[in-house]
Amino acid sequence: MPENESWEYSLYIPNDLRAVTVSRRTLRLILTMHGLIRLVDVAELLATELVSNAVRHTKGPAALRVRWSAGVLRIGAWDADPAPPEPPRPLGQLAESEEGRGLALVRACADVWGWQPLARDGSRGKYVWCELAAAA
């Protein structure tokens, strides 16, 4: 696949924990079809954490967005709650914890991550994203 090729997919999902598996499998298919199989394992982990947070911690719909541009894969999850995500704690502090590992894993595995509030066309919410370089 040419490095300069760009594409983007959005998958709108209901507030349902089954959407996490649907999103992960859809992402695997997208990356496989675009020749990015080497990114699948880490990308699936990242997408699982982002979508899981969007579904577990909000009440409305959500979306998975996957974008490839300039050799960088961006994975993001939108949800309807404008509140910022809880800051990730260091992974070492979370060894015995059942919750709170999601963004810590994202921070540890992604090249960069962030979030931004969204307000457009009367919609509110936030977009939490991370990036993986092609060389990952």
Side-chain angles (χ1 to χ4, degrees), residues 32-63:
T32 300
M33 296 305 295
H34 283 283
L36 293 169
I37 193 73
R38 68 192 178 281
L39 298 179
V40 166
D41 291 337
V42 174
E44 276 187 325
L45 171 69
L46 296 170
T48 297
E49 296 303 332
L50 295 177
V51 172
S52 179
N53 282 348
V55 172
R56 287 175 196 255
H57 302 296
T58 67
K59 293 186 179 359

Side-chain angles (χ1 to χ4, degrees):
M1 180 180 66
E3 284 289 311
N4 59 359
E5 180 184 55
S6 295
W7 46 261
E8 182 175 313
Y9 293 85
S10 293
L11 176 66
Y12 293 92
I13 57 176
N15 190 282
D16 183 327
L17 284 177
R18 293 173 291 193
V20 176
T21 300
V22 170
S23 298
R24 187 175 59 242
R25 291 185 178 170
T26 301
L27 174 65
R28 176 175 282 274
L29 181 60
I30 291 167
L31 296 180
T32 300
M33 296 305 295
H34 283 283
L36 293 169
I37 193 73
R38 68 192 178 281
L39 298 179
V40 166
D41 291 337
V42 174
E44 276 187 325
L45 171 69
L46 296 170
T48 297
E49 296 303 332
L50 295 177
V51 172
S52 179
N53 282 348
V55 172
R56 287 175 196 255
H57 302 296
T58 67
K59 293 186 179 359
L64 171 69
R65 187 167 148 200
V66 182
R67 184 181 77 199
W68 174 260
S69 182
V72 174
L73 180 69
R74 177 176 276 208
I75 302 164
W78 167 83
D79 66 59
D81 184 355
E86 290 289 323
R89 298 191 320 235
L91 277 176
Q93 293 179 7
L94 300 168
E96 301 298 320
S97 177
E98 289 293 319
E99 293 185 354
R101 292 186 294 224
L103 285 180
L105 283 170
V106 170
R107 181 176 62 188
C109 297
D111 294 325
V112 64
W113 79 278
W115 79 278
Q116 60 199 61
L118 296 178
R120 187 170 68 190
D121 303 327
S123 300
R124 294 180 44 165
K126 68 179 163 297
Y127 180 64
V128 183
W129 56 269
C130 61
E131 292 181 347
L132 287 174

